[in-house]
Amino acid sequence: MSFAGEVKRELLNVENAACCEQSRARGLLLFGREFSARRISILTENSSVAEAFANAAHLFSGSTPEIERSGSGNYKIAIEDKSAADAIMSEVISFGNDAKKQLSIGVIERECCKAAFVRGAFLAAGTVTNPETEYHLEFSCPTRSVANELMELILGLGVETKLTNRSGKSIVYIKKSGAIEDMLTIMGATETSMMLMGAKMYKDVRNTVNRRMNFENANAVRSVDAAIKQYEAIALIEKKQGLDSLPKELKKTAEMRLTNPEASTGEILRMLGDGLSLSGLNHRFKKLITIAGEIKKNDGKH
Ligand SMILES: [Zn+2]
């Protein structure tokens, strides 16, 4: 089952309070494939969503529409009976006997019912990408005005959401991982939301570990480079003029490096153990490298 399918399965199991039942039904019906006086329909690959849609239609029209199987294996419901469609339209689009039709979304009062409406809308027209690949949750809306109202509603629930157009469809979408978690939690997919948070935490930890390892590697490489440079310089001094030519401290340092070519500067410091600071030791190595550089320069003159 797809990630979106898992989310829908969890949402279908959410118990709807009596006040929320109608709200969820409105979301389901309004966000189907078509919503007009001529036809109210849905096309879905999810049989449980089709059943929920049929039950929602029954709630407002008193009759249960037939669920058909399309050629591609999807589930299809089309309500074309005029009295049934009218009954549903009046419940979903307009309230009371206001001649000016008003969408139902704006008049949902309770928070629980708002969440139930979004849950219904998501079941009918929502999808969410597996967070392992990308963060994206969206609702494909029947009209621009419905999209605007849905966006308002979701913003009102405190979730950051945006609106776009894709091949003539208005899409309300959520991109940020935190906002997707919030939306899933509000709709009632708490298990999935928790899983998502876990996945993100895992990603964060992994990134931190990677960063740290790269940092340590870089340090290790730097310290090996330095050791090689020191060793080569000292070996050259020894070969050309002998270590006895060096002042006492430099000689001691040079001998320590020659006998411990793989030791880090810090380890050399500990082995010397005469109260020298790391910068003091680095200063000595710098001097040795300068001496070697001069030897090389003079060699070139001959
Ligand atoms: Zn409610």
Side-chain angles (χ1 to χ4, degrees), residues 267-282:
E267 282 163 340
I268 297 282
L269 183 70
R270 272 193 298 279
M271 288 187 281
L272 285 169
D274 56 0
L276 187 69
S277 69
L278 186 63
S279 72
L281 177 59
N282 276 326

Side-chain angles (χ1 to χ4, degrees), residues 11-281:
L11 291 181
L12 283 161
N13 287 330
V14 173
E15 294 251 4
N16 295 289
C19 64
C20 296
E21 189 66 47
Q22 295 206 346
S23 206
R24 187 188 81 139
R26 291 190 177 105
L28 264 162
L29 292 162
L30 183 57
F31 282 81
R33 194 178 187 207
E34 295 157 287
F35 191 86
S36 73
R38 204 172 54 81
R39 190 203 301 248
I40 295 167
S41 71
I42 190 170
L43 183 70
T44 172
E45 55 182 18
N46 189 318
S47 63
S48 310
V49 169
E51 269 171 47
F53 188 92
N55 291 338
H58 179 265
L59 189 66
F60 296 137
S61 70
S63 62
T64 308
E66 208 180 307
I67 301 173
E68 293 169 59
R69 209 67 201 270
S70 80
S72 53
N74 287 329
Y75 300 86
K76 203 166 71 177
I77 297 173
I79 300 158
E80 289 167 323
D81 174 75
K82 195 175 179 320
S83 67
D86 280 350
I88 292 169
M89 288 284 287
S90 68
E91 279 292 343
V92 175
I93 293 276
S94 56
F95 275 75
N97 36 24
D98 189 349
K100 189 174 145 246
K101 289 203 167 166
Q102 185 185 26
L103 278 165
S104 60
I105 305 175
V107 297
I108 305 171
E109 277 176 11
R110 294 185 179 202
E111 294 280 305
C112 60
C113 299
K114 286 178 183 172
F117 182 90
V118 180
R119 183 158 66 244
F122 186 85
L123 285 171
T127 190
V128 57
T129 312
N130 188 327
E132 280 172 14
T133 56
E134 78 175 313
Y135 296 118
H136 186 89
L137 184 151
E138 71 172 39
F139 300 82
S140 175
C141 305
T143 64
R144 185 80 181 182
S145 64
V146 168
N148 275 323
E149 292 219 28
L150 179 69
M151 192 171 75
E152 286 295 312
L153 180 76
I154 293 174
L155 286 171
L157 291 167
V159 178
E160 195 180 322
T161 175
K162 286 181 177 153
L163 183 58
T164 188
N165 263 305
R166 195 192 304 135
S167 31
K169 275 249 170 195
S170 293
I171 310 284
V172 168
Y173 69 98
I174 302 172
K175 265 282 175 215
K176 288 188 179 158
S177 62
I180 291 174
E181 286 157 17
D182 290 347
M183 188 76 269
L184 291 173
T185 306
I186 288 168
M187 289 193 296
T190 42
E191 260 175 52
T192 315
S193 179
M194 295 285 278
M195 203 187 79
L196 225 155
M197 284 181 223
K200 199 178 67 184
M201 242 183 274
Y202 173 73
K203 254 188 207 168
D204 286 350
V205 169
R206 199 177 49 191
N207 285 341
T208 309
V209 168
N210 279 346
R211 250 195 322 272
R212 191 174 301 155
M213 279 176 66
N214 288 338
F215 180 72
E216 276 167 10
N217 276 342
N219 275 347
V221 168
R222 261 198 297 279
S223 116
V224 169
D225 280 352
I228 291 172
K229 217 171 155 193
Q230 293 157 8
Y231 183 87
E232 284 176 350
I234 295 161
L236 184 74
I237 298 168
E238 192 193 26
K239 190 178 156 200
K240 293 287 175 181
Q241 58 188 48
L243 295 184
D244 284 329
S245 66
L246 298 168
K248 199 175 140 219
E249 285 89 37
L250 283 188
K251 186 187 167 196
K252 207 174 147 196
T253 307
E255 279 170 345
M256 193 60 89
R257 171 49 82 204
L258 276 187
T259 45
N260 301 282
E262 284 165 13
S264 70
T265 310
E267 282 163 340
I268 297 282
L269 183 70
R270 272 193 298 279
M271 288 187 281
L272 285 169
D274 56 0
L276 187 69
S277 69
L278 186 63
S279 72
L281 177 59

